[in-house]
């Protein structure tokens, strides 16, 4: 395929970011069709990026448009499953932002539909495996530098969230990235989870329990503790330290100049996710475009989306029960044993 013609559903924050990178940064793709509930917004984005594209009548029309080779689903999470299933039915490649679906049963439906179709069509927007920091960590784990892995200490901090962000979203919207990347990093499966609530911050709104501490146990006995703190005030920060028998590997600080001034040494901390993973998003989307072009997707698959959803489901149960909850996983179809 020469140029991959992309149709995109949902032109919010990340949808626009992916349009910008496809039209201005990456190669081999063009945005040809857009759909958003807000048609004015779609038209504004076409004008802003000077796209040679049209606004589709509906998401379904866009998916079935013969001029669209691949679909991006970047609308709200609750809409993902229907659009991904429609794309599979149309035989179209589809890049779906996380989460693949908001329920485990919908993820299972997507997996079953893709397996039935017999050709891999779905890539899930888990971009951390494309981040150079995480890739370096994985290389050091895989080459035995730190010996057998014993523990992981991780943290996901945001400066603040809006008042529509609820306690369960700390798992389904935020922790979901850690659930995917840690499984990939450790090449291990989660078997049980526990969620602890320390003293809550007074800054969070009344319905949000913040912070949370999630404890994950893996099949090989590794324990990972992950802090999710979405009103930490000072900035956006992702931490991950993997402790092994012979040493530790940890993500580097995000590079920023060290300033010496006024009797202090300081370094700026990012305030949102866009810059932290900007290079990873570029690599991720370029990989999807290349995969569509040569008919072979390589990025996180629908099975990865299902595993993250099933683990998130156990975390949601653990939030309520306060107990250690098992992660139950259906048996992996041979289709995903690559
Ligand atoms: P957003 O800014 O709210 O954008 C969502 C867009 O989709 C809005 O323009 C919304 O229109 C539109 N929309 C809603 N329902 C739709 C439907 N049924 N059909 C078509 N368009 C619809 O959200 P966002 O932050 O971009 O997030 C979108 C998705 O990307 C979420 O699943 C989120 O978890 C994921 N995400 C991933 C990352 C990452 O790091 N990988 C980062 C950010 C977001 P209205 O505003 O009119 O409702």
């Amino acid at each position: 395929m020469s140029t991959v013609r992309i149709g995109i559903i949902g032109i919010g924050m990340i949808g626009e970011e992916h349009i910008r990178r496809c039209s201005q940064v990456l190669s081999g793709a063009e945005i040809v069709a857009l759909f958003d509930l807000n048609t004015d917004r779609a038209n504004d984005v076409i004008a802003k990026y000077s796209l040679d594209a049209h606004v589709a009548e509906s998401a379904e029309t866009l998916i079935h448009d013969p001029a669209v080779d691949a679909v991006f689903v970047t609308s709200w999470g609750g809409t993902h499953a229907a659009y991904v299933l429609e794309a599979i039915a149309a035989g179209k490649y589809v890049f779906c932002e996380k989460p693949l679906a908001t329920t485990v049963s919908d993820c299972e439906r997507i997996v079953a539909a893709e397996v039935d179709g017999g050709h891999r069509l779905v890539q899930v927007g888990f971009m951390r495996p494309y981040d150079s920091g995480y890739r370096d960590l994985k290389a050091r784990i895989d080459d035995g530098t730190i010996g057998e892995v014993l523990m992981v200490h991780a943290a996901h901090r945001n400066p603040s969230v809006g008042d529509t962000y609820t306690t369960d979203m700390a798992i389904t919207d935020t922790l979901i990235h850690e659930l995917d990347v840690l499984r990939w990093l450790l090449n291990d499966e989660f078997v049980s989870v526990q969620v602890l609530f320390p003293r809550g911050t007074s800054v969070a709104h009344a319905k949000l329990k913040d912070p949370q501490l999630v404890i994950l146990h893996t099949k090989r006995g590794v324990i990972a503790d992950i802090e999710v703190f979405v009103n930490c005030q000072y900035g956006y920060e992702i931490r991950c330290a993997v402790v092994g028998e012979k040493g530790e590997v940890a993500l580097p600080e995000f590079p920023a100049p060290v300033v010496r001034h006024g009797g202090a040494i300081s370094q700026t901390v990012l305030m949102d996710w866009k810059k932290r993973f900007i290079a990873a998003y570029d690599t991720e989307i370029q990989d999807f475009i290349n995969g569509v072009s040569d008919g072979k997707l390589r990025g996180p698959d629908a099975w990865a989306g299902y595993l993250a959803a099933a683990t998130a489901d156990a975390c949601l149960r653990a939030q309520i029960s306060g107990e250690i909850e098992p992660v139950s996983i259906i048996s992996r179809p041979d289709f995903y044993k690559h």
Side-chain angles (χ1 to χ4, degrees):
M1 195 178 293
S2 46
T3 298
V4 175
R5 299 165 302 172
I6 291 171
I8 180 161
I9 303 169
I11 325 294
M13 263 194 303
I14 199 129
E16 183 177 341
E17 272 291 291
H18 289 336
I19 288 170
R20 180 193 59 76
R21 61 175 45 89
C22 285
S23 57
Q24 299 186 346
V25 182
L26 308 179
S27 60
E30 62 176 324
I31 305 288
V32 296
L34 297 82
F35 176 73
D36 192 279
L37 292 181
N38 183 340
T39 305
D40 289 345
R41 171 145 177 77
N43 277 314
D44 288 350
V45 169
I46 288 176
K48 182 171 173 184
Y49 296 96
S50 309
L51 304 175
D52 185 10
H54 70 278
V55 178
E57 267 174 35
S58 68
E60 290 71 22
T61 319
L62 178 148
I63 291 167
H64 291 279
D65 184 343
V68 168
D69 302 314
V71 179
F72 278 21
V73 178
T74 50
S75 46
W76 170 67
T79 64
H80 292 183
Y83 295 149
V84 172
L85 285 166
E86 194 72 39
I88 294 172
K92 297 278 172 85
Y93 288 101
V94 53
F95 175 87
C96 177
E97 260 309 337
K98 61 83 183 165
L100 176 59
T102 47
T103 65
V104 177
S105 55
D106 275 347
C107 288
E108 287 178 18
R109 266 199 286 281
I110 291 168
V111 161
E114 193 179 40
V115 171
D116 280 353
H119 182 63
R120 190 178 160 199
L121 293 172
V122 181
Q123 178 165 331
V124 183
F126 289 129
M127 75 300 179
R128 301 244 187 120
Y130 291 96
D131 175 68
S132 59
Y134 277 109
R135 285 185 174 210
D136 288 346
L137 244 63
K138 185 161 178 62
R140 291 310 176 95
I141 294 167
D142 290 350
D143 72 10
T145 304
I146 62 163
E148 290 298 321
V149 173
L150 310 175
M151 295 176 284
V152 179
H153 307 297
H156 188 134
R157 295 183 183 156
N158 294 68
S160 62
V161 289
D163 53 12
T164 54
Y165 188 103
T166 46
T167 303
D168 54 327
M169 288 168 72
I171 305 294
T172 54
D173 259 47
T174 303
L175 181 82
I176 196 104
H177 280 299
E178 269 74 16
L179 297 180
D180 176 70
V181 78
L182 291 185
R183 188 185 56 77
W184 168 81
L185 204 55
L186 304 177
N187 194 21
D188 202 349
E189 302 294 339
F190 299 122
V191 292
S192 65
V193 304
Q194 187 177 20
V195 180
L196 303 172
F197 293 101
R199 183 180 182 194
T201 171
S202 60
V203 175
H205 65 80
K207 285 189 203 143
L208 175 61
K209 286 180 159 185
D210 187 41
Q212 306 181 26
L213 191 63
V214 179
I215 316 286
L216 296 159
H217 295 240
T218 77
K219 208 170 182 174
R220 290 216 294 263
V222 174
I223 293 186
D225 60 83
I226 308 160
E227 169 199 314
V228 182
F229 188 13
V230 294
N231 284 287
C232 79
Q233 305 294 292
Y234 72 86
Y236 176 81
E237 220 184 0
I238 301 299
R239 292 190 187 176
C240 183
V242 181
V243 182
E245 286 177 318
K246 295 193 278 183
E248 178 192 280
V249 275
L251 285 179
E253 295 292 331
F254 188 77
V258 178
V259 179
R260 288 171 165 79
H261 175 73
I265 300 177
S266 65
Q267 217 174 350
T268 303
V269 179
L270 294 176
M271 289 307 283
D272 71 29
W273 48 270
K274 284 186 193 159
K275 279 197 185 144
R276 169 63 182 85
F277 288 110
I278 197 159
Y281 290 120
D282 288 349
T283 314
E284 169 195 48
I285 301 296
Q286 187 67 65
D287 190 39
F288 176 75
I289 293 166
N290 297 348
V292 173
S293 192
D294 53 24
K296 194 173 178 353
L297 298 183
R298 289 162 283 260
D301 58 16
W303 184 248
Y306 160 75
L307 288 177
T311 312
D313 207 49
C315 293
L316 294 178
R317 280 186 274 115
Q319 278 187 332
I320 294 165
S321 70
E323 304 292 328
I324 296 176
E325 295 286 344
V327 177
S328 36
I329 302 293
I330 55 173
S331 69
R332 182 166 59 164
D334 287 345
F335 185 87
Y336 295 107
K337 289 180 183 158
H338 49 79

